[in-house]
């Protein structure tokens, strides 16, 4: 039976109401992790109304503990695999507690042709009093490789060829790094990479510091 426009609006409002009442922190993101919709439980972790999380990247809010997990998920999504993917994370919540847990990303879409969205759920596994210590920069192997190539003078297209990514894929990683580090230009981005110990100083060609 076909729904009228009014019926569709009613069902949509009911779905949103149920979404808001879910006690577990939940968000709907695009394939890059940008939040389009967050429920109140998710927003409470940051002491903000749900609408303020829209447009934020979920991986900038919750720090991944293993960069390889994120890389595997990105590869699976590019291949349109359908599965549930856990990511170990930690974060400093609005109440001053440092928590750790899992983000569980569940790909959803209306059809195999439609763009995939991610239903992201947060499981809190533990907490401790927050500290003022800065967290080390979370840089994946692909991001570090891109930074090393740029430091050596590679163009975006050249970095894409060397890493097996598309130009858009390289630009996506650079945009996320720029937002994370507050870098306005690529020159500043490379300088920050050296300052944060991501690239090995005094070495040519530029080389990424091996992950611990």
């Amino acid at each position: 039976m076909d729904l009228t426009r009014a019926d569709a609006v009613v069902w949509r409002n009911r779905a949103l109401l149920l979404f808001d009442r879910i006690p577990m922190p939940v968000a709907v993101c695009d394939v890059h992790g940008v939040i389009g919709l967050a429920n109140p439980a998710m927003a409470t972790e940051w002491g903000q109304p749900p609408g303020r999380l829209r447009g934020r990247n979920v991986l900038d809010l919750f720090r991944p503990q293993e960069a390889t997990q994120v890389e595997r998920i990105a590869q699976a999504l590019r291949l349109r695999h359908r599965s549930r993917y856990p990511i170990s994370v930690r974060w400093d919540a609005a109440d001053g507690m440092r928590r750790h847990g899992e983000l569980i990303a569940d790909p959803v879409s209306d059809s195999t042709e439609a763009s995939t969205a991610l239903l992201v759920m947060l499981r809190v596994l533990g907490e401790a009093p927050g500290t003022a210590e800065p967290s080390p920069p979370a840089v994946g192997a692909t991001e570090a490789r891109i930074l090393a190539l740029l430091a050596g003078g590679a163009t975006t297209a050249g970095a894409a060829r060397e890493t097996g990514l598309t130009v858009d894929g390289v630009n996506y990683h650079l945009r996320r790094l720029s937002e994370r580090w507050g870098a306005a230009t690529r020159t500043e981005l490379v300088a920050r990479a050296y300052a944060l110990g991501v690239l090995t100083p005094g070495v040519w060609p530029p080389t990424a510091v091996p992950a611990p």
Side-chain angles (χ1 to χ4, degrees):
M1 181 177 65
D2 293 335
L3 291 176
T4 65
R5 185 179 180 84
D7 289 334
V9 170
V10 169
W11 280 106
R12 180 178 180 275
N13 289 340
R14 287 179 178 174
L16 289 175
L17 182 61
L18 290 173
F19 181 79
D20 284 347
R21 289 181 176 176
I22 297 173
M24 172 181 274
V26 178
V28 178
C29 308
D30 67 12
V31 291
H32 301 302
V34 177
I35 297 173
L37 185 66
N39 74 343
M42 179 67 81
T44 297
E45 288 296 316
W46 304 99
Q48 297 182 2
R52 294 291 297 275
L53 295 185
R54 183 180 177 87
R56 301 284 301 276
N57 194 295
V58 71
L59 294 182
D60 290 335
L61 296 172
F62 301 96
R63 298 185 295 276
Q65 299 306 288
E66 298 179 35
T68 54
Q69 288 182 321
V70 179
E71 297 294 337
R72 285 197 297 268
I73 293 172
Q75 178 65 17
L77 291 175
R78 283 194 292 269
L79 297 174
R80 291 188 174 274
H81 291 173
R82 302 286 173 175
S83 187
R84 180 169 287 187
Y85 305 100
I87 304 173
S88 300
V89 293
R90 71 165 180 257
W91 67 101
D92 294 319
D95 59 6
M97 300 299 289
R98 173 163 291 179
R99 297 193 176 99
H100 64 91
E102 280 187 335
L103 283 178
I104 302 169
D106 203 350
V108 293
S109 65
D110 294 332
S111 68
T112 55
E113 291 79 19
S115 297
T116 302
L118 297 176
L119 181 64
V120 176
M121 296 162 282
L122 176 67
R123 290 179 58 209
V124 180
L125 299 179
E127 63 182 20
T131 69
E133 281 184 24
S135 299
V139 176
T142 299
E143 290 175 329
R145 175 65 175 150
I146 291 171
L147 289 168
L149 290 167
L150 291 183
T155 63
T156 304
R161 286 193 300 271
E162 291 292 331
T163 56
L165 298 173
T166 64
V167 170
D168 286 342
V170 171
N171 284 330
Y172 165 70
H173 283 292
L174 293 176
R175 184 171 62 252
R176 284 201 63 226
L177 285 167
S178 296
E179 292 171 354
R180 193 184 311 160
W181 292 348
T185 66
R186 293 190 179 185
T187 300
E188 186 178 349
L189 195 60
V190 169
R192 293 287 177 89
Y194 277 112
L196 293 170
V198 176
L199 298 180
T200 305
V203 173
W204 191 267
T207 306
V209 174

